[in-house]
Amino acid sequence: MDRHLPPNAALAALRIDGARLWQSLMDLAQIGATPKGGVCRIALTDLDRQGRDLFVQWARGAGCSIRVDAIGNIFARRAGQDDNLPPVMTGSHIDTQPTGGKFDGNYGVLAGLEVVRTLNAASVRTRAPIEVAVWTNEEGSRFVPVMMGSGVFAGAFTLEHALAQRDAQGVSVGEALASIGYAGQLGPAPAVGSYFEAHIEQGPVLENHARVIGVVTAALGQRWYDVTVQGMEAHAGPTPMELRRDALLAASELVLEVNRIAVQRAPHARGTVGTMELFPNSRNVIPGRASLSVDLRAPDDAQLLDMDAALRAACARIATERSLQITVEQVVYFPPQPFTPQLVQAVRANADDLGYSSMDVVSGAGHDAVYLARVAPAAMIFVPCDDGISHNEIENAAAEHLEAGCNVLLRAMLAAAEVVA
Amino acid sequence: MDRHLPPNAALAALRIDGARLWQSLMDLAQIGATPKGGVCRIALTDLDRQGRDLFVQWARGAGCSIRVDAIGNIFARRAGQDDNLPPVMTGSHIDTQPTGGKFDGNYGVLAGLEVVRTLNAASVRTRAPIEVAVWTNEEGSRFVPVMMGSGVFAGAFTLEHALAQRDAQGVSVGEALASIGYAGQLGPAPAVGSYFEAHIEQGPVLENHARVIGVVTAALGQRWYDVTVQGMEAHAGPTPMELRRDALLAASELVLEVNRIAVQRAPHARGTVGTMELFPNSRNVIPGRASLSVDLRAPDDAQLLDMDAALRAACARIATERSLQITVEQVVYFPPQPFTPQLVQAVRANADDLGYSSMDVVSGAGHDAVYLARVAPAAMIFVPCDDGISHNEIENAAAEHLEAGCNVLLRAMLAAAEVVA
């Protein structure tokens, strides 16, 4: 299968409409718009319904048929010459963080819609059907697990498990889906021919290297831990330095060690302590207990296991040296997920053909595409976002970069779906 | 002035009644007793009144006259041969922490009462009067500043300032004093001939060295700081290690540096980070801001200033190396307070004469004696407490150690007050 477009002059000149894509993004961002320019459109709320309804209206307007599955994923289908072929799919999510931006997720969905509109305008017909998916509850702000819709679709967990989850008010996913009218049809997930997802990078690498397209080769595996350091609280005044069992001192060594574990495994490994709570957390009391989170990420499981071993060894060493207890409990594991080499190469080659600067990157965060890669050939296209900032109302991206990513998506999907007329 | 007792066989054999002292401690501990064996007797509450009333009743029963000053300090006076001489004073406090113990403060007050009872039983007459002081609100749990009664007495701050302080419910010190009937007479603080305070150590040094008496040579000076590290929050997944400005990483280096600053100035210097708060304190977000407290202590001001400079240099270095901002604000300063060498020697010599093991120690914590030392010759006597634990319901001390400390107090006070019959 040739992942380049056929050498057809008209097709080679085919481009998406960047202004139309931008306008779609701005229009959808009105639903749940925040005063600071961001979006608050939490999964399965009425605002989510309004966003879904707008997408469905646009997709129907572009000639697509709509299907909703039992976890509320929406599939907008542009028929192919042979509708028995598994579709070439793209998509992402339109739910946001409580103080989210206009681009995270929304870009991937509306880039898919823009591909459909572009094909319609140029009367391009494909052999395989094309589908644009809107995955339910990627963010996990209201209901966990995160990436819920794509997780159910890929069999990462069951539909029943997902539907039974409740928010802080006790409302279940099933109830919330029914209340917004997006509890769709039961049935097995249909086969997917290939899956592409365009997304803002949510990190600083592309901007830092001044590249337009990130060719995403893999998503990092993740191991998250709860670590507790148990020392002995004591008065800061009367207790000499050598008789202390200071939990914060041990925790601080561990923070530096977590950083070292990742730095030593450059460029892709990550190590982060994001939370720390001290007890009793009083100005003149030596901390008796420190609870912290550790987040380790790596592109392959061997490296991630190696980091796990280094973390546990560091905890054991620090505990012995400082005469205190350190417990380590793993609470989350996402395996590393390589994307499909042929599709990754299609992204890279089409970026080159279009004259966009690009570089290979890994995805440090989870995305719906990571679950889709379990059941279909899959790849992702990253574009830069300002200062790498996301999950923030000031999240921003350049229109020309969003347009470039969408052009790469168009060509990669056309190559996969095969142009017949 | 000879700080030993005169070589009189009867006086040399004079001892306090350890069982009577213990019983007083246990009786007073009934007022505000907690289920876990501790005491909750917050300053200027009705429980505090009950404790004060019991002490006054006991002191009157021992022939003392009672005087209460305008900040509620109680002085129980055993007349001397020459009542125009400034009194030899001892004392401490009977207010406790919310989850306090039976000995912190209470021991110093009841050891003073036991000295009076012992002198009465042996019909010992002193040239100077002897006074037992109960200082108001040493703990500061309900009203700040801490060591309020002794602070007013020593002129560390004004009576008006202290009376105007309010608790969390808006009740002022003046109102609370009046409501428990302990708003006493206005007037200048009378001169004090010398001041001794017996106290549990509230630290592990004596226990660790298996000594019975701590000869307290000085109280450490204290400088407290609020430190804020401002970095940049970012996603833990997509942000490579080399592009991070992780506030916790910088804060962790600073925690280790604060420890090093104190360890390098052994044995008396102390350095503690007791509190830390992270923002946004989210598991998969690199901390953008860390706020922490720093508590530095040293026995002399030159060393404390040297530590201050080392702290500021460390902050500047870390900020530069990690491309973030660190601000340092000093919020508290207590100067170092040496105790009076002649009185310190009296404590040391009398411990030796009595055959008690002793060692010189510094007081890492504040005590009423630290303020008294500003206006009178002063010294302190420490006795061990179990595991160095204090400000805790499980606070405990051995009856024989409490008895030993009280015997040292008796002899040091007699030497200062001069036995006349």
Side-chain angles (χ1 to χ4, degrees):
Chain A
M1 180 164 52
D2 179 7
R3 296 290 172 175
H4 290 258
L5 277 180
N8 170 318
L11 280 181
L14 191 64
R15 296 289 183 277
I16 66 100
D17 183 337
R20 183 170 57 192
L21 170 61
W22 182 260
Q23 192 58 51
S24 300
L25 283 161
M26 295 307 108
D27 289 346
L28 182 54
Q30 293 299 311
I31 300 173
T34 64
K36 290 184 181 170
V39 178
C40 175
R41 198 188 310 128
I42 310 287
L44 308 188
T45 59
D46 191 66
L47 287 170
D48 188 14
R49 177 193 62 75
Q50 292 177 42
R52 289 163 172 262
D53 286 354
L54 182 58
F55 170 78
V56 167
Q57 176 197 322
W58 282 340
R60 287 209 167 110
C64 293
S65 60
I66 300 295
R67 191 177 81 256
V68 178
D69 72 9
I71 192 62
N73 297 319
I74 306 170
F75 302 91
R77 183 181 182 101
R78 183 176 191 268
Q81 183 189 50
D82 180 355
D83 257 1
N84 292 319
L85 286 175
V88 172
M89 188 183 283
T90 189
S92 193
H93 60 96
I94 64 166
D95 68 312
T96 74
Q97 292 280 332
T99 53
K102 304 186 202 67
F103 304 97
D104 176 5
N106 296 286
Y107 170 55
V109 170
L110 296 180
L113 179 68
E114 178 56 33
V115 165
V116 170
R117 287 170 167 170
T118 299
L119 298 182
N120 290 350
S123 301
V124 175
R125 197 168 177 211
T126 56
R127 200 158 84 82
I130 280 177
E131 287 196 3
V132 182
V134 180
W135 304 108
T136 293
N137 182 32
E138 194 269 354
E139 296 290 1
S141 295
R142 180 180 174 195
F143 298 103
V144 289
V146 300
M147 304 188 292
M148 181 177 277
S150 52
V152 169
F153 188 88
F157 38 84
T158 66
L159 172 66
E160 294 67 35
H161 175 74
L163 291 176
Q165 301 306 307
R166 293 183 184 277
D167 68 8
Q169 277 66 50
V171 178
S172 74
V173 168
E175 291 160 0
L177 269 174
S179 76
I180 68 165
Y182 278 88
Q185 301 142 339
L186 284 171
V192 175
S194 51
Y195 180 80
F196 296 91
E197 184 168 344
H199 208 284
I200 58 169
E201 181 195 355
Q202 303 185 284
V205 176
L206 293 175
E207 188 178 74
N208 206 251
H209 288 80
R211 307 294 171 96
V212 174
I213 299 294
V215 180
V216 188
T217 57
L220 300 181
Q222 307 181 27
R223 288 181 189 268
W224 293 2
Y225 306 85
D226 285 343
V227 176
T228 303
V229 182
Q230 183 67 55
M232 170 80 119
E233 59 264 31
H235 275 234
T239 311
M241 304 309 290
E242 73 274 14
L243 295 180
R244 298 179 171 206
R245 292 166 56 210
D246 183 335
L248 176 57
L249 211 52
S252 296
E253 288 187 329
L254 187 57
V255 168
L256 295 173
E257 198 60 45
V258 165
N259 184 66
R260 199 170 296 126
I261 287 169
V263 167
Q264 287 169 342
R265 292 164 179 82
H268 292 321
R270 312 270 190 267
T272 308
V273 176
T275 72
M276 190 183 296
E277 308 284 350
L278 299 182
F279 175 85
N281 204 40
S282 173
R283 188 182 278 278
N284 57 352
V285 180
I286 299 159
R289 190 173 65 238
S291 302
L292 52 151
S293 64
V294 175
D295 173 336
L296 299 179
R297 306 193 188 200
D300 67 77
D301 239 338
Q303 186 172 70
L304 195 53
L305 280 170
D306 183 42
M307 293 170 74
D308 175 277
L311 171 69
R312 292 174 191 276
C315 289
R317 177 181 58 73
I318 293 167
T320 301
E321 286 174 3
R322 298 207 168 269
S323 301
L324 30 72
Q325 283 78 47
I326 304 182
T327 58
V328 181
E329 186 193 357
Q330 182 178 301
V331 292
V332 163
Y333 170 59
F334 286 111
Q337 181 63 59
F339 288 117
T340 310
Q342 279 176 301
L343 270 57
V344 172
Q345 174 55 20
V347 171
R348 190 184 291 118
N350 280 301
D352 289 349
D353 289 354
L354 288 160
Y356 301 138
S357 60
S358 73
M359 66 184 288
D360 284 9
V361 294
V362 294
S363 173
H367 291 291
D368 294 308
V370 179
Y371 277 146
L372 265 291
R374 297 188 183 185
V375 292
M380 291 192 78
I381 301 158
F382 276 176
V383 296
C385 55
D386 291 3
D387 296 322
I389 294 170
S390 181
H391 285 198
N392 193 306
E393 291 163 271
I394 65 168
E395 176 186 280
N396 199 21
E400 66 184 281
H401 294 159
L402 298 167
E403 180 179 345
C406 192
N407 273 323
V408 173
L409 177 68
L410 168 72
R411 292 165 71 101
M413 289 185 77
L414 280 185
E418 295 180 45
V419 174
V420 290
Chain B
M1 181 162 48
D2 179 7
R3 296 290 173 178
H4 290 260
L5 277 180
N8 169 319
L11 280 181
L14 191 63
R15 296 289 183 280
I16 65 100
D17 183 337
R20 184 169 57 194
L21 170 60
W22 182 260
Q23 192 58 50
S24 300
L25 283 161
M26 294 307 108
D27 288 347
L28 183 53
Q30 293 301 308
I31 300 173
T34 64
K36 290 183 181 169
V39 179
C40 175
R41 198 189 310 126
I42 309 287
L44 309 188
T45 58
D46 191 66
L47 286 169
D48 188 14
R49 177 192 63 75
Q50 292 176 43
R52 289 164 171 261
D53 287 354
L54 181 58
F55 170 78
V56 167
Q57 176 196 323
W58 282 340
R60 287 210 166 107
C64 293
S65 60
I66 300 294
R67 192 177 79 255
V68 178
D69 73 9
I71 192 62
N73 297 319
I74 306 169
F75 302 92
R77 184 181 183 100
R78 183 177 191 268
Q81 184 190 48
D82 180 355
D83 257 1
N84 291 320
L85 286 175
V88 172
M89 188 182 283
T90 188
S92 193
H93 61 96
I94 64 167
D95 69 311
T96 74
Q97 293 280 332
T99 53
K102 305 185 201 66
F103 304 98
D104 177 4
N106 297 286
Y107 170 54
V109 169
L110 296 180
L113 179 67
E114 178 57 33
V115 165
V116 170
R117 287 170 167 171
T118 299
L119 297 182
N120 290 349
S123 302
V124 175
R125 199 169 173 210
T126 56
R127 198 158 86 81
I130 279 178
E131 288 196 1
V132 183
V134 179
W135 304 108
T136 293
N137 183 31
E138 194 268 354
E139 295 290 1
S141 295
R142 180 181 173 193
F143 298 104
V144 289
V146 301
M147 305 188 292
M148 180 177 277
S150 52
V152 168
F153 188 87
F157 38 85
T158 66
L159 172 66
E160 293 66 34
H161 175 75
L163 292 177
Q165 300 307 306
R166 293 184 183 276
D167 69 7
Q169 276 67 50
V171 179
S172 75
V173 169
E175 290 160 359
L177 270 172
S179 76
I180 68 165
Y182 277 89
Q185 300 141 338
L186 283 170
V192 175
S194 51
Y195 180 80
F196 297 91
E197 184 169 346
H199 208 285
I200 57 169
E201 181 195 355
Q202 304 186 285
V205 176
L206 294 175
E207 189 178 71
N208 206 251
H209 289 79
R211 307 294 170 96
V212 174
I213 300 293
V215 180
V216 188
T217 58
L220 300 182
Q222 306 181 28
R223 287 180 189 269
W224 292 2
Y225 306 86
D226 285 343
V227 175
T228 303
V229 182
Q230 182 67 55
M232 169 80 118
E233 59 264 30
H235 275 235
T239 311
M241 304 310 290
E242 72 276 13
L243 295 180
R244 297 179 173 206
R245 292 167 55 210
D246 183 334
L248 176 57
L249 211 52
S252 296
E253 288 186 331
L254 187 57
V255 168
L256 296 172
E257 198 60 46
V258 165
N259 184 67
R260 201 170 295 126
I261 286 168
V263 167
Q264 286 170 344
R265 291 163 179 85
H268 293 319
R270 313 270 191 266
T272 308
V273 177
T275 72
M276 191 184 294
E277 308 285 351
L278 300 183
F279 175 85
N281 204 41
S282 173
R283 190 183 278 278
N284 57 353
V285 181
I286 298 159
R289 189 171 67 237
S291 303
L292 51 152
S293 63
V294 175
D295 173 337
L296 299 180
R297 308 192 187 200
D300 67 77
D301 239 339
Q303 186 171 71
L304 195 52
L305 280 170
D306 181 44
M307 292 169 74
D308 175 276
L311 171 69
R312 291 175 192 275
C315 288
R317 177 181 57 74
I318 293 167
T320 300
E321 286 174 3
R322 296 207 171 270
S323 301
L324 29 73
Q325 283 77 48
I326 304 183
T327 59
V328 181
E329 186 193 357
Q330 182 177 299
V331 292
V332 164
Y333 170 59
F334 285 111
Q337 181 63 60
F339 288 118
T340 310
Q342 280 176 300
L343 270 58
V344 171
Q345 174 55 20
V347 171
R348 190 185 292 117
N350 281 301
D352 288 350
D353 290 353
L354 287 160
Y356 300 138
S357 60
S358 73
M359 67 183 287
D360 285 8
V361 294
V362 293
S363 173
H367 292 291
D368 294 308
V370 178
Y371 277 146
L372 265 293
R374 296 189 183 184
V375 292
M380 291 192 79
I381 302 159
F382 277 175
V383 296
C385 56
D386 291 5
D387 296 323
I389 293 170
S390 181
H391 285 197
N392 193 307
E393 292 164 89
I394 66 167
E395 176 186 280
N396 198 21
E400 64 184 284
H401 294 160
L402 298 167
E403 180 179 343
C406 192
N407 274 321
V408 173
L409 177 68
L410 168 72
R411 292 166 71 101
M413 289 184 78
L414 279 183
E418 294 180 43
V419 175
V420 291

